[in-house]
Amino acid sequence: MRHKVLIGFMGSGKTTVSKLLAQRLGIGLLDTDEEIQRKQQRSITCIFAESGEKAFRQMERELLKALAKEKTPLVISTGGGLAVQPENKSLLKALGDVIYLQVRPETVLTRLAGDETRPLLQGEEKEQKVRALLRAREPFYEAAADEILAVDDLTPEQIVEEIIRRTEATA
Ligand code: S3P
């Protein structure tokens, strides 16, 4: 079995779905945000504030390279910006089945109302930020994906079953 790599915007459900998918497949789980925070011993908010986004993107890329050596199949949940860095596309593709959880901006806004953990969405005009960022990122997510799943109207369980159905042929 190849790694199952979940990509998509903040609030698309990668974390929830990745946990369920890993349980359902009986394999391990790695969340890139969690792993970076664990290694750095500080939160994403702190990393952005103290070291900047560029440094965070470098950490993501280093982790991706390290994961290429991991032979045991994993579910890998990625931070929302990882798949849109052009230099990460080929690394992701080489890693396993890349599944894009596609969401509408309205869904993101509902799910992330009051959220303070995403540095890129803090401050005024959250709606405009979400819409602009999602629009700008969409082509990159699509280009990096092997499978695209519109998830707004699906439960996490339904998403898991759909991922398994779609990637069965490559298992
Ligand atoms: C980011 C998404 C976050 C986290 C960081 C940057 C992004 O992960 O990696 O705040 O650029 O979209 P989630 O997608 O898990 O929220």
Side-chain angles (χ1 to χ4, degrees), residues 7-166:
I7 66 169
F9 202 73
M10 294 168 267
S12 59
K14 293 165 295 188
T15 302
T16 307
V17 170
S18 63
K19 285 181 186 156
L20 271 179
L21 181 62
Q23 272 174 18
R24 173 76 165 70
L25 294 172
I27 63 177
L29 167 66
L30 185 134
D31 183 305
T32 61
D33 285 343
E34 294 286 328
E35 187 65 13
I36 289 171
Q37 291 181 104
R38 193 183 61 77
K39 281 198 183 134
Q40 288 285 316
Q41 289 293 300
R42 51 188 179 148
S43 68
I44 303 271
T45 302
C46 279
I47 298 172
F48 270 68
E50 294 169 0
S51 309
E53 181 175 352
K54 200 166 166 225
F56 177 71
R57 299 300 172 204
Q58 190 60 35
M59 292 168 198
E60 286 186 317
R61 189 162 157 72
E62 291 306 321
L63 176 56
L64 214 48
K65 281 188 189 160
L67 282 171
K69 299 184 193 117
E70 176 62 61
K71 294 288 169 253
T72 315
L74 292 171
V75 174
I76 299 170
S77 178
T78 61
L82 187 146
V84 301
Q85 312 302 314
E87 65 274 23
N88 288 343
K89 186 177 142 189
S90 56
L91 286 171
L92 276 172
K93 292 249 188 222
L95 213 51
D97 300 321
V98 182
I99 301 123
Y100 170 31
L101 305 187
Q102 188 180 47
V103 274
R104 291 189 288 264
E106 293 76 16
T107 305
V108 174
L109 286 161
T110 308
R111 290 186 185 167
L112 298 187
D115 174 82
E116 290 179 356
T117 65
R118 271 73 171 198
L120 295 181
L121 301 181
Q122 297 314 300
E124 301 297 306
E125 308 195 320
K126 191 164 176 172
E127 177 167 356
Q128 284 89 327
K129 282 182 188 159
V130 167
R131 287 186 190 280
L133 201 53
L134 192 49
R135 198 176 310 119
R137 286 179 168 187
E138 186 71 38
F140 294 95
Y141 288 133
E142 289 183 0
D146 297 310
E147 296 292 339
I148 301 175
L149 250 81
V151 296
D152 302 88
D153 303 320
L154 300 179
T155 65
E157 288 77 10
Q158 287 171 325
I159 299 168
V160 163
E161 292 313 316
E162 188 59 17
I163 292 172
I164 291 172
R165 195 182 67 76
R166 295 221 200 164

